[in-house]
Amino acid sequence: MYENVVKKIREADKIAALTGAGMSVESGIAPFRGEDGLWNEFDPQEYASLSAFRKDPDKSWELFRLQIEECSRAEPHEGHHSLVELEEHGLNSVITQNVDDLHQKAGSKKVLELHGNLSELICSSCRERVKTKDHLKYILDGDIPHCKCGSIFRPDVVLFGESLPLGVLRKSQHEAERTDLLISIGTSAVVQPAASIPTLAKKTGSVLIEINPKRTVLTPKVDHFLKGKAGEKLSGLMERL
Ligand code: OAD
Ligand code: ZN
């Protein structure tokens, strides 16, 4: 199975990756769906939507605090490092739905963050930005950071009911259209518009590879399905390249 994928990677000039929450599971960050998914415990409409945040920011901050706590402890795993190495074999960009900064921490050069990043906070009124790490202790103690203007901060991530950053989405679509091969890693591929990135790549002639321990809605459309964990499968690929 690896052999066919290795051959396709060698043949490709341009490679792109799309990553989802499953990419970070081996770094100790919970995914959203499935057995240990956050959305079993937190209804996304009640905690992670713009209207919920406006109505009851304390409630949304319960979820943000948990995510910030998990991410502050997490380190990239061998899969993240493999994606950095893959740049030598043509990987141009990592398009990610993750907000944990782990691709950047590993050293990936071009990361397109479709859903923002938890490492910055943005004021809900004046849009002032600050580093989450400068307020970490306060947040982990159960407090909600406030801006100089008096309003509360929120993480600079996309909430349900908000649009994705348009420039990042456009760039991601452009990468999908020009890539020869796209690897979708650890995403259930159900949240739009990120979920349409692999199908856009396929429509414009790209080979599609998927890495996931479970089949997804994308699996019937891919050329090669590598069943397993991101770290294990990506390092397995790199060893054979
Ligand atoms: P999901 O939680 O929907 O899906 C995670 C996927 O990772 C599933 O298909 C799992 O089978 C797979 N998985 C689990 N462990 C894995 C491992 N070790 N290696 C590889 N794959 C593994 O996460 P996303 O698809 O990223 O959006 O979810 C998309 C968006 O939905 C998120 O960005 C978030 C959420 O609502 C927002 O918050 C805006
Ligand atoms: Zn402010």
Side-chain angles (χ1 to χ4, degrees):
M1 200 60 191
Y2 274 123
E3 285 62 40
N4 295 331
V5 177
V6 166
K7 186 167 173 280
K8 293 281 165 55
I9 290 178
R10 288 213 182 105
E11 284 167 5
D13 278 338
K14 299 188 207 78
I15 302 171
L18 172 71
T19 64
M23 180 79 213
S24 303
V25 165
E26 289 152 272
S27 290
I29 299 178
F32 297 98
R33 297 171 185 80
E35 280 159 44
D36 302 317
L38 276 182
W39 294 161
N40 298 326
E41 209 180 316
F42 298 92
D43 177 343
Q45 290 308 325
E46 274 182 46
Y47 287 86
S49 68
L50 182 61
S51 54
F53 174 73
R54 284 183 176 150
K55 205 167 107 205
D56 191 351
D58 290 21
K59 196 167 175 182
S60 297
W61 262 101
E62 284 175 36
L63 171 67
F64 301 153
R65 185 171 297 112
L66 189 125
Q67 290 182 295
I68 288 171
E69 209 256 321
E70 265 187 354
C71 291
S72 68
R73 283 188 276 109
E75 291 298 330
H77 61 70
E78 56 183 353
H80 295 97
H81 296 300
S82 298
L83 286 179
V84 178
E85 281 176 52
L86 196 59
E87 289 176 0
E88 282 166 34
H89 301 268
L91 183 79
N92 284 311
S93 57
V94 178
I95 304 164
T96 189
Q97 298 163 84
N98 298 343
V99 293
D100 51 35
D101 218 30
L102 291 179
H103 290 299
Q104 289 91 332
K105 270 196 190 169
S108 280
K109 281 202 200 81
K110 186 164 171 194
V111 184
L112 295 168
E113 296 176 311
L114 289 171
H115 294 165
N117 193 314
L118 285 169
S119 68
E120 286 198 342
L121 305 175
I122 182 161
C123 171
S124 43
S125 295
C126 74
R127 318 305 284 170
E128 165 91 358
R129 281 165 184 280
V130 292
K131 296 275 175 221
T132 307
K133 66 172 167 40
D134 294 339
H135 299 262
L136 193 59
K137 194 174 174 306
Y138 191 71
I139 293 168
L140 300 188
D141 280 349
D143 294 313
I144 298 177
H146 283 71
C147 177
K148 282 198 270 318
C149 80
S151 288
I152 56 170
F153 279 116
R154 52 168 276 194
D156 188 18
V157 296
V158 175
L159 300 176
F160 284 97
E162 285 184 311
S163 328
L164 272 62
L166 193 59
V168 180
L169 179 62
R170 290 253 164 84
K171 274 189 202 153
S172 304
Q173 288 165 335
H174 179 67
E175 291 290 331
E177 281 166 353
R178 73 189 194 115
T179 197
D180 300 318
L181 183 143
L182 184 138
I183 318 178
S184 174
I185 310 157
T187 175
S188 56
V190 293
V191 174
Q192 292 295 353
S196 63
I197 296 286
T199 38
L200 176 62
K202 173 135 195 174
K203 222 189 278 172
T204 45
S206 169
V207 172
L208 276 192
I209 313 285
E210 184 180 28
I211 297 177
N212 200 305
K214 292 200 174 141
R215 292 179 67 85
T216 69
V217 289
L218 182 68
T219 314
K221 297 178 188 160
V222 304
D223 298 288
H224 299 282
F225 179 56
L226 290 177
K227 189 175 191 314
K229 295 180 178 175
E232 176 187 305
K233 292 293 156 190
L234 284 169
S235 55
L237 273 179
M238 292 317 299
E239 279 163 23
R240 291 165 176 84
L241 261 178

